[in-house]
Amino acid sequence: MQKLGKKPNSKNLDLNNCALSAADVTELASLLPFLPKLQEISLSWNGCVGGTLKALTVHLHHVNLLKVLRLNNCRLTAEDVTSLGEAFEIVTQLEELDLSWNSNIGGKLSLLTKKLQKGCKIRLLKITDCNLTAKDGESLAEILNVIPNLEVLDLSINKHIGCSMKVIAQDLKNVPGLKELNLHMCGLTQDSLQGLDTALQHLAELRKLDISCNKEIGGGFKDSTAHLASLKKLEVLDLHQCCVTEEDMTVLSQVIPLLSSLQELNLSSNKNVGVSSDPLLGRLRFLPKLKSVAISNCGLGKESFSSLAEAALHLPELEILDLSWNKCVGGNLKLLLGALKLATEIQVLRLSSCNLVAEDLALLTLLTQDGHLARLRKLDLSYNNNISEEGWVVFCQGLAVVKELSELDVSLRPSSCRDCGTWFSELLAALTKLPALAELGMQRWVLSESQRKQLESFNQDNKRNIRFDC
């Protein structure tokens, strides 16, 4: 551990991203007999672990208290998967297993799952981006009845398991304590969505459901939300980029407002959210626990934006609001004035590519000058090319009062560039009064030679360490 620059710990062996060699793994294995209290092993992001795992697993009987094993992005081979499966008979206390980003696991998951014994204590299983096949999906379904304590299942970015999702869903009833289900980019279809909805009636403890980036489920919500509304403990729902249709919106407008514990909702990149006549955005007022609302690139019009603004008046705990890529926000930010005054907890405000104008920045400045947005930490104003020189001057002059701001992005669109005007000096003056600021995005703003020198010497002159992205 000392050789690798890590502090020795008898319970936690953290060698994450340490550029381990095959010899290091062998040496590590020889140390296991001297670590009987070991509970966690993390070898993630060490590509050379692949092909050497057997040298380690044959010694795992010395650490029979092991609870956590993380091997993501280790280039595991079929032999490694087999060795790991055999080790399951030894490490009976294992609760967390992360095998994510090992593409060679695809097609070989059964080598692992067939060794799992009934009553296995695994609570967390992550197999993200492992090139899983439909057959792997079936193998996974078969083991759900032997891991009854499962609380977190992450199968994200496995595009070929969608066709076996109905089989997996049928066996989710065997893990009634499941709290988090991540199926981001899994190739789900309308048929698999229907099977998943049927399974939800058995998952009363579910806190997070992520089925984002499954474009083929669009149009399927109208027939597959019968049990979604029963998830009274659901806190996170991610449906971004699901090609939601207007018919889907009709159903979701009825169901989502019933999720009384919901704290995070992501509907981004679903254009019909904005054009639908169904009042989902207005009904968000019935979800007072919402802390994060992401509706970027949803084709909002002035009417739907107005409905959202009115609903936001009833969201006192809101911390994150993402309205990026909705052009109607530009010139209409005043509709949010009341909500932003009441949003005392707001920490992240994303308004990228919203067609903002000087009037909108003046409104934000007025709010901050009056003591609102005091907890704001991240502000994204990028890709708003229509803001005038005067608009930026006024904004930068009032920026210094946002004391907790840590990230600010004022970058221009990739296809454009503009000279930095007099607002640049106002910005630098404000930065000296923003102790928390660590990142400033200014891409495609053209700096004069003197301005560039000022920027280059700013950190040294002010004893700061701001990352300037120019």
Side-chain angles (χ1 to χ4, degrees):
M1 293 292 286
Q2 291 174 341
K3 181 178 73 173
L4 295 167
K6 297 279 187 175
K7 291 183 178 180
N9 187 318
S10 61
K11 292 185 178 182
N12 184 1
L13 192 60
D14 183 4
L15 297 175
N16 180 56
N17 196 23
C18 282
L20 297 180
S21 65
D24 290 330
V25 176
T26 301
E27 184 179 352
L28 173 63
S30 68
L31 296 176
L32 292 185
F34 305 101
L35 297 169
K37 297 180 180 179
L38 196 63
Q39 295 183 13
E40 296 187 25
I41 297 179
S42 179
L43 303 179
S44 297
W45 302 93
N46 289 290
C48 289
V49 170
T52 68
L53 204 57
K54 189 169 185 177
L56 186 71
T57 57
V58 295
H59 291 284
L60 287 181
H61 62 280
H62 294 294
V63 289
N64 54 15
L65 296 179
L66 192 67
K67 293 183 178 180
V68 179
L69 182 59
R70 301 186 182 99
L71 297 168
N72 47 322
N73 199 25
C74 284
R75 298 181 186 174
L76 300 184
T77 64
E79 183 182 0
D80 294 326
V81 177
T82 300
S83 300
L84 191 57
E86 292 170 350
F88 281 148
E89 299 174 359
I90 303 168
V91 286
T92 56
Q93 302 301 310
L94 197 66
E95 295 180 0
E96 298 185 16
L97 178 63
D98 189 349
L99 301 175
S100 299
W101 299 297
N102 286 290
S103 58
N104 288 326
I105 289 180
K108 308 174 186 70
L109 193 62
S110 62
L111 298 175
L112 182 75
T113 58
K114 66 184 180 183
K115 295 291 186 176
L116 283 173
Q117 300 178 355
K118 193 170 183 63
C120 178
K121 295 184 178 181
I122 288 181
R123 295 187 298 104
L124 179 149
L125 180 59
K126 292 187 175 183
I127 323 178
T128 302
D129 197 9
C130 284
N131 201 26
L132 298 186
T133 64
K135 187 67 177 176
D136 292 324
E138 294 171 6
S139 298
L140 181 66
E142 291 172 1
I143 64 159
L144 290 177
N145 67 328
V146 301
I147 48 175
N149 297 319
L150 192 66
E151 294 182 3
V152 177
L153 178 60
D154 193 341
L155 304 176
S156 297
I157 322 179
N158 287 291
K159 299 179 181 179
H160 304 297
I161 65 166
C163 52
S164 60
M165 185 50 60
K166 202 162 188 176
V167 178
I168 296 173
Q170 287 174 350
D171 284 295
L172 285 175
K173 63 180 181 291
N174 295 309
V175 286
L178 195 67
K179 294 180 180 178
E180 185 174 322
L181 180 58
N182 296 312
L183 300 172
H184 165 80
M185 203 183 294
C186 279
L188 301 186
T189 63
Q190 292 186 16
D191 191 45
S192 49
L193 180 63
Q194 192 167 11
L196 179 61
D197 180 64
T198 302
L200 294 181
Q201 64 184 309
H202 305 291
L203 304 178
E205 298 300 315
L206 201 64
R207 263 65 163 186
K208 178 181 179 181
L209 177 61
D210 182 352
I211 53 175
S212 60
C213 295
N214 288 289
K215 296 182 179 181
E216 291 186 32
I217 65 177
F221 288 96
K222 61 183 184 295
D223 301 315
S224 305
T225 55
H227 299 101
L228 179 61
S230 66
L231 300 178
K232 299 304 181 184
K233 295 183 180 180
L234 194 69
E235 297 175 353
V236 180
L237 178 62
D238 194 340
L239 302 177
H240 83 265
Q241 203 170 334
C242 284
C243 292
V244 171
T245 66
E246 287 196 58
E247 286 183 291
D248 291 331
M249 284 299 298
T250 299
V251 177
L252 292 173
S253 295
Q254 300 293 326
V255 173
I256 290 178
L258 299 176
L259 302 173
S260 55
S261 296
L262 202 62
Q263 296 181 19
E264 299 181 26
L265 176 63
N266 192 339
L267 298 172
S268 296
S269 298
N270 289 294
K271 291 293 182 68
N272 283 309
V273 170
V275 301
S276 173
S277 59
D278 291 289
L280 173 59
L281 299 183
R283 289 179 178 171
L284 295 184
R285 70 178 65 201
F286 300 119
L287 299 172
K289 294 182 180 180
L290 273 178
K291 294 182 178 181
S292 174
V293 177
I295 315 180
S296 82
N297 195 26
C298 281
L300 296 187
K302 188 172 181 179
E303 184 179 348
S304 51
F305 180 46
S306 181
S307 295
L308 173 64
E310 191 175 339
L313 292 169
H314 305 275
L315 304 179
E317 297 184 25
L318 196 63
E319 296 177 1
I320 301 173
L321 180 60
D322 187 353
L323 297 173
S324 298
W325 299 90
N326 289 293
K327 305 300 184 185
C328 76
V329 176
N332 291 307
L333 196 62
K334 56 184 176 289
L335 295 175
L336 265 181
L337 180 62
L340 292 177
K341 283 183 177 180
L342 295 174
T344 56
E345 300 299 317
I346 197 98
Q347 297 177 27
V348 179
L349 182 59
R350 302 193 186 281
L351 300 170
S352 175
S353 195
C354 281
N355 232 8
L356 298 184
V357 294
E359 177 190 350
D360 299 316
L361 288 199
L363 179 71
L364 287 177
T365 302
L366 181 63
L367 283 167
T368 57
Q369 294 295 323
D370 288 345
H372 305 294
L373 304 180
R375 299 194 61 195
L376 194 64
R377 295 180 181 177
K378 298 181 181 181
L379 179 59
D380 186 354
L381 300 174
S382 61
Y383 298 6
N384 286 291
N385 288 30
N386 293 332
I387 299 171
S388 65
E389 168 77 12
E390 294 75 17
W392 284 117
V393 169
V394 171
F395 172 74
C396 292
Q397 286 175 339
L399 190 59
V401 299
V402 194
K403 297 297 183 183
E404 294 190 24
L405 193 66
S406 61
E407 293 182 25
L408 173 64
D409 196 342
V410 296
S411 299
L412 298 173
R413 286 194 292 266
S415 59
S416 61
C417 64
R418 275 170 65 182
D419 291 333
C420 267
T422 56
W423 63 267
F424 180 77
S425 57
E426 300 288 353
L427 176 62
L428 288 186
L431 295 186
T432 62
K433 301 173 183 177
L434 296 174
L437 197 80
E439 293 190 30
L440 175 62
M442 291 184 59
Q443 291 183 18
R444 288 167 290 280
W445 283 103
V446 180
L447 302 176
S448 67
E449 186 176 349
S450 62
Q451 288 173 332
R452 186 164 292 280
K453 286 181 178 178
Q454 283 181 282
L455 201 61
E456 289 172 352
S457 63
F458 180 86
N459 280 332
Q460 185 175 353
D461 293 346
N462 295 279
K463 297 181 180 180
R464 297 287 296 277
N465 189 28
I466 298 175
R467 188 175 76 87
F468 296 104
D469 186 8
C470 300

